[in-house]
Amino acid sequence: MLITAAFHTGIWTLLFFIVGMIKPKWPLFFLKKPDRFLVLIISTVLFMVSATLYGEGNRQRALEEKASKETVSKILEPSSAPVPVPDVPEAKPTAPKK
């Protein structure tokens, strides 16, 4: 999920950067005097957010894979603990009935 969010954020960042470098007034419509340097700063911050999301997504996926492998190996490997055997009393020979 984080990896797809990183790709989406990266695409929006690239779109913001390209449009902002061509026409800074479009993405920064709320400013009186938008300039390209501000677009560059915002794009850099958004790129760092995208890279962090992607890295954390990869780290989470690796941890999930490791946890699932450990779970499977625990299920497949028998436990090494000794199993107690119940004491069964010896059967007494019974006399045949006449």
Side-chain angles (χ1 to χ4, degrees), residues 3-20 43 46-47 49-51 53:
I3 295 175
T4 57
F7 280 120
H8 291 188
T9 308
I11 290 170
W12 283 110
T13 301
L14 185 63
L15 182 68
F16 178 84
F17 179 74
I18 291 171
V19 170
S43 297
L46 288 173
F47 174 75
V49 167
S50 300
L53 277 172

Side-chain angles (χ1 to χ4, degrees), residues 19-80:
V19 170
M21 284 295 150
I22 295 171
K23 293 267 188 181
K25 285 191 175 193
W26 286 359
L28 301 174
F29 61 90
F30 50 88
L31 295 177
K32 288 184 181 179
K33 286 193 167 191
D35 58 343
R36 289 178 174 87
F37 186 69
L38 189 57
V39 170
L40 181 67
I41 291 172
I42 294 171
S43 297
T44 304
V45 170
L46 288 173
F47 174 75
M48 286 190 281
V49 167
S50 300
T52 303
L53 277 172
Y54 184 75
E56 285 296 313
N58 276 338
R59 187 181 66 85
Q60 261 187 1
R61 184 172 36 172
L63 289 175
E64 289 172 359
E65 287 176 1
K66 183 180 177 185
S68 67
K69 285 181 183 177
E70 288 176 359
T71 305
V72 169
S73 66
K74 284 181 182 177
I75 292 171
L76 295 179
E77 291 178 4
S79 66
S80 60

